[in-house]
Amino acid sequence: MSTISSSDATDIPDSPDRVFGAVIERNDGVCKRCYRRLRRREPVPHEIGYRHRDIQAFVDEVLPEDGTRFDILDREYFEAVQLPDRLEEAHPPDDAHDDTSACWHCGAIDTHRTPDTRSRRDALAAAAGISVTFDELDVPHDWVALLEAVDELKQDPDYAGDDYRTFSEAVATAIRVADLPR
């Protein structure tokens, strides 16, 4: 895995087929409805991270992947920091909910919940969000190929009902197209 150069310390898988899942879908700093970034990861000093390691909302541990035995000193800790002007206060009408925050771009109140299967139009809007997020994270891709692939796949009965598969395939295509010599 290669690491992009940003404060996010986001790992980009070597296989284009795995990029959507790793960089977008399993990234808790990305809104699951519009795929726009809401938070970034900032490194936390080891002493503070270790002291607060049981508070999941505060730190995220990254452990060695090469199968070697790790030590406490091998751990890295990160804090999720809200990006300015990406979340706004939300006051759900249901009394069961407290005031919370919503994605500024799409209005989603629960930004960690993937919506039901998107229409073709909504999928294209989400693909544009993926492209913007990739630009912010320096993930090389061809945005035109991404949108075209999503548009085509949402018309294919084998893909239309499976957004994860649609976006995963479209992202892989966009990354492969960006790698082609011009």
Side-chain angles (χ1 to χ4, degrees):
M1 289 190 159
S2 60
T3 302
I4 63 171
S5 58
S6 75
S7 63
D8 287 293
T10 302
D11 288 332
I12 302 171
D14 293 330
S15 170
D17 297 321
R18 295 180 42 230
V19 172
F20 173 72
V23 178
I24 300 290
E25 188 63 33
R26 289 187 296 277
N27 184 343
D28 65 352
V30 173
C31 175
K32 298 305 174 242
R33 182 186 290 171
C34 67
Y35 294 130
R36 301 291 293 268
R37 277 178 73 207
L38 303 175
R39 297 171 195 84
R40 70 176 184 270
R41 289 170 27 136
E42 295 260 332
V44 174
H46 189 271
E47 309 78 49
I48 294 171
Y50 181 74
R51 187 176 326 126
H52 298 283
R53 69 191 177 280
D54 294 332
I55 304 171
Q56 292 299 321
F58 183 71
V59 295
D60 180 23
E61 299 175 84
V62 176
L63 305 175
E65 294 182 13
D66 60 5
T68 61
R69 185 176 174 163
F70 64 90
D71 186 284
I72 294 291
L73 296 176
D74 292 330
R75 296 180 181 189
E76 298 176 34
Y77 299 93
F78 299 91
E79 176 182 18
V81 177
Q82 183 176 319
L83 293 170
D85 302 325
R86 301 283 175 108
L87 289 167
E88 59 187 42
E89 286 185 31
H91 310 284
D94 184 353
D95 289 337
H97 292 13
D98 294 330
D99 289 350
T100 186
S101 58
C103 174
W104 178 86
H105 185 73
C106 70
I109 291 178
D110 189 352
T111 60
H112 297 290
R113 177 173 291 156
T114 302
D116 293 334
T117 303
R118 294 169 178 87
S119 67
R120 189 168 141 213
R121 184 175 139 208
D122 290 344
L124 286 170
I130 291 171
S131 182
V132 170
T133 298
F134 278 175
D135 285 344
E136 291 177 353
L137 295 174
D138 297 325
V139 177
H141 71 289
D142 184 301
W143 69 271
V144 173
L146 176 62
L147 271 73
E148 287 176 348
V150 167
D151 190 42
E152 289 175 19
L153 291 169
K154 285 304 274 187
Q155 296 177 66
D156 182 338
D158 293 334
Y159 285 86
D162 187 345
D163 283 350
Y164 183 88
R165 190 170 167 218
T166 297
F167 290 124
S168 185
E169 181 68 29
V171 163
T173 298
I175 290 171
R176 288 183 184 109
V177 168
D179 284 341
L180 294 174
R182 303 245 175 213

